[in-house]
Amino acid sequence: MLTPEDAKKELEQHRDPEASKSLTERLHALPPELAAIGLAFLEESSPDRDRSQAAEQKRVAAKRALSGLDDRDRQELFFALFPPIADHVEASWRLQVRLPYQTGYLRKAFRAPKDPEYTTNVRIDWVDKLLRTVLPYRYDAKFLAVWAAYLDGGRNIRLDCCSLEF
């Protein structure tokens, strides 16, 4: 088993210093509506983002627009955000509508498979966390399967993708 220090050294070899720049370029190549959604997710992960209430509300509204996209547009956005695993992210996005989820103070499991709106916040938060977790790295599905336990400071990310193939 790797020590946290050894894992950190190994992960440093997979860092991509140009990741944010590459992602920004991919997002600007999208249609404006999709670019705005993707840039809202990217801004959220930036430590020097505008934290004013107006800026936060604008980011939340843009990110919530993800749930209103049709399949083709959402897949195009996921391809820009997560090129090596876009198909898996799309599969997970769809799967999470049917899964029980826990939010709020009581955190009781809840399912509403016929009404995806109930899971919107949970799914958007998942995309947000996944992007913040994988953005600094050169990654693919195999990398995530091997290193997920060590990413994001040791806090596990949910990899609900049920069809990882190597």
Side-chain angles (χ1 to χ4, degrees):
M1 184 169 152
L2 286 176
T3 66
E5 294 80 23
D6 291 339
K8 190 173 182 177
K9 286 180 194 173
E10 284 287 328
L11 284 172
E12 283 302 316
Q13 296 175 15
H14 295 278
R15 282 212 177 264
D16 181 0
E18 299 293 317
S20 289
K21 181 180 175 189
S22 299
L23 176 55
T24 302
E25 290 170 0
R26 288 193 307 272
L27 291 172
H28 283 295
L30 293 173
E33 175 186 296
L34 298 179
I37 296 169
L39 290 169
F41 279 101
L42 183 59
E43 278 180 34
E44 189 72 30
S45 65
S46 173
D48 54 324
R49 70 182 180 269
D50 181 356
R51 295 178 186 271
S52 69
Q53 186 175 7
E56 291 287 340
Q57 288 175 341
K58 185 177 176 184
R59 271 195 300 277
V60 167
K63 289 175 8 181
R64 283 193 61 79
L66 174 62
S67 67
L69 295 177
D70 64 28
D71 292 349
R72 187 187 62 75
D73 286 343
R74 190 178 54 251
Q75 289 169 352
E76 187 176 358
L77 178 59
F78 284 159
F79 184 76
L81 290 171
F82 310 101
I85 59 168
D87 292 335
H88 300 298
V89 173
E90 174 65 20
S92 182
W93 176 267
R94 290 180 184 199
L95 176 65
Q96 288 181 49
V97 171
R98 297 188 315 260
L99 295 176
Y101 67 93
Q102 299 176 359
T103 61
Y105 179 70
L106 297 175
R107 290 191 170 84
K108 293 183 178 183
F110 181 78
R111 278 182 72 237
K114 297 199 186 315
D115 195 348
E117 184 62 30
Y118 285 115
T119 61
T120 297
N121 290 340
V122 173
R123 291 181 293 148
I124 288 170
D125 289 346
W126 174 78
V127 170
D128 194 36
K129 182 171 172 78
L130 181 61
L131 182 63
R132 282 186 278 129
T133 301
V134 301
L135 182 60
Y137 301 101
R138 287 181 298 276
Y139 65 92
D140 57 13
K142 185 175 181 179
F143 170 83
L144 292 175
V146 171
W147 292 102
Y150 299 97
L151 297 173
D152 196 28
R155 294 178 295 275
N156 290 327
I157 57 171
R158 286 180 47 205
L159 293 175
D160 292 329
C161 307
C162 54
S163 63
L164 295 179
E165 297 176 10
F166 307 110

